[in-house]
Amino acid sequence: MRNRLRKAGAVCGVCLALASVGGAQEAESVRAFGDHLFRQGDYYRAITEYERFVFLAPEPSAAAEVRLRIGEAYYFGEKWDAAARIFRALETPEMNENIRRTSALYLAALALRQKEPQQSADLLEKFLADFPDDPRRNDVICRLILIDLRSGRIGEAERRLAEANAGGASSLPLGAADLEEWKHLPRKSPLLAGSLSAILPGAGQAYVGHWSDAALAFGLNAVFAWGTYAAFRQDEDVLGGFLLALDTTWYFGNVYNAANGTRRANQTRQKRFFENLSVRCGLTFPPSRNDGPAPMLGVGAAF
């Protein structure tokens, strides 16, 4: 009887072991398929597979890694609130430190995506304080400098750069020359552009360099003005009043167009500056992955 019980126990142990191995293999297959969907950009189906893996995962550490993947999938799928919930949950002290670090960087990137530059700067400064030895430290400092520049805090950017250089950040990809380039970046005055167009229709557009818009604004204002004058001269008061209303509307629209066009031109120039700087310095943030897209911290576009 005892021998039979021992044999039955051994058989049950083998069955449980096989079931455990089979479950682990199934979980890894699910994860592999989720990674495939993630690489293809099919983030929402990838999330479903990752959730299945978390349910089947034999190791808590493996489940945490896949939860990070879920957050990344939400991030790239532009579901900012869902991504933030995942990354905040992964910042707990008992979590693996690498996962905590990456989650912290993603939260800073999310703040910029949601047009909260100051919140992003606060999170990046906290990251530097919490993880002073992180290999991405210089990249984070550069992102803080770019946020300062984009927010108009040139003095703060210069102070941060000086402190980084004094601290031995010799490999910092940004330098004083880049800050000087930002200072002397050509900028046009929207107020001056609007004033010029108020004096002479099209002059504000010409000031920005939009010559075709300038010619159109001047030509149509001239046509409306001449038509209004001719209508009143021929005692066509109704037609003259109608043309005068059109001319007035076009005139003030031209002034607004000159000022707004100047603002857009300045923003485009600044955005190009940040994009070129990021590409030239090789700045990616959060850090790139070998098996997925590399999110850029779009400072120029995120404000």
Side-chain angles (χ1 to χ4, degrees):
M1 184 67 177
R2 289 180 181 177
N3 289 334
R4 289 180 182 177
L5 289 174
R6 288 196 190 101
K7 289 180 180 179
V11 170
C12 289
V14 171
C15 290
L16 288 172
L18 290 174
S20 177
V21 171
Q25 290 177 343
E26 180 186 358
E28 286 304 319
S29 296
V30 169
R31 179 175 183 173
F33 185 52
D35 288 341
H36 169 73
L37 293 172
F38 185 90
R39 287 192 295 269
Q40 298 298 317
D42 194 349
Y43 302 119
Y44 304 119
R45 289 180 63 201
I47 289 169
T48 301
E49 297 303 316
Y50 288 145
E51 293 284 5
R52 287 181 60 201
F53 175 86
V54 170
F55 178 76
L56 297 170
E59 296 281 342
S61 59
E65 291 175 4
V66 171
R67 285 195 183 95
L68 177 63
R69 273 299 227 183
I70 292 172
E72 290 176 319
Y74 277 125
Y75 179 92
F76 290 113
E78 299 186 355
K79 297 296 184 181
W80 313 131
D81 292 337
R85 284 195 298 272
I86 297 292
F87 294 132
R88 289 194 193 101
L90 293 173
E91 272 201 308
T92 54
E94 64 272 10
M95 195 60 63
N96 174 282
E97 187 171 295
N98 288 331
I99 291 177
R100 288 170 51 210
R101 294 184 184 209
T102 303
S103 297
L105 291 179
Y106 268 109
L107 285 171
L110 279 167
L112 272 186
R113 295 287 187 183
Q114 294 174 312
K115 300 184 179 180
E116 296 289 346
Q118 188 54 55
Q119 181 184 352
S120 180
D122 292 342
L123 289 170
L124 291 176
E125 288 177 345
K126 183 177 183 299
F127 178 87
L128 293 177
D130 291 344
F131 311 109
D133 60 338
D134 192 274
R136 296 159 291 196
R137 179 179 179 83
N138 286 350
D139 194 2
V140 171
I141 292 173
C142 289
R143 289 302 163 186
L144 281 166
I145 291 173
L146 292 184
I147 291 174
D148 289 333
L149 291 179
R150 193 66 183 86
S151 301
R153 300 191 297 263
I154 183 67
E156 182 67 14
E158 290 174 331
R159 179 196 64 78
R160 201 183 298 277
L161 178 62
E163 286 183 355
N165 290 332
S170 56
S171 60
L172 204 68
L174 295 181
D178 297 306
L179 269 60
E180 287 299 315
E181 182 182 352
W182 168 257
K183 286 181 183 178
H184 297 96
L185 198 67
R187 296 175 177 85
K188 301 288 187 178
S189 168
L191 178 61
L192 179 57
S195 300
L196 288 173
S197 279
I199 296 171
L200 178 65
Q205 287 84 349
Y207 162 70
V208 183
H210 298 165
W211 297 103
S212 59
D213 291 345
L216 180 64
F218 179 81
L220 285 180
N221 269 282
V223 168
F224 282 136
W226 174 255
T228 302
Y229 168 76
F232 280 121
R233 187 174 181 182
Q234 297 174 12
D235 295 327
E236 297 285 347
D237 295 341
V238 175
L239 178 60
F242 176 72
L243 291 175
L244 179 61
L246 283 179
D247 189 22
T248 303
T249 302
W250 181 260
Y251 171 82
F252 286 108
N254 157 69
V255 173
Y256 172 80
N257 175 266
N260 194 48
T262 304
R263 262 190 302 272
R264 287 201 309 270
N266 288 339
Q267 290 170 354
T268 300
R269 195 174 292 112
Q270 292 169 5
K271 180 180 178 181
R272 191 176 299 120
F273 169 84
F274 286 116
E275 288 176 347
N276 291 341
L277 193 59
S278 294
V279 171
R280 177 166 58 80
C281 296
L283 300 176
T284 57
F285 178 75
S288 61
R289 302 182 63 115
N290 294 329
D291 54 352
M296 294 295 295
L297 185 70
V299 177
F303 285 76

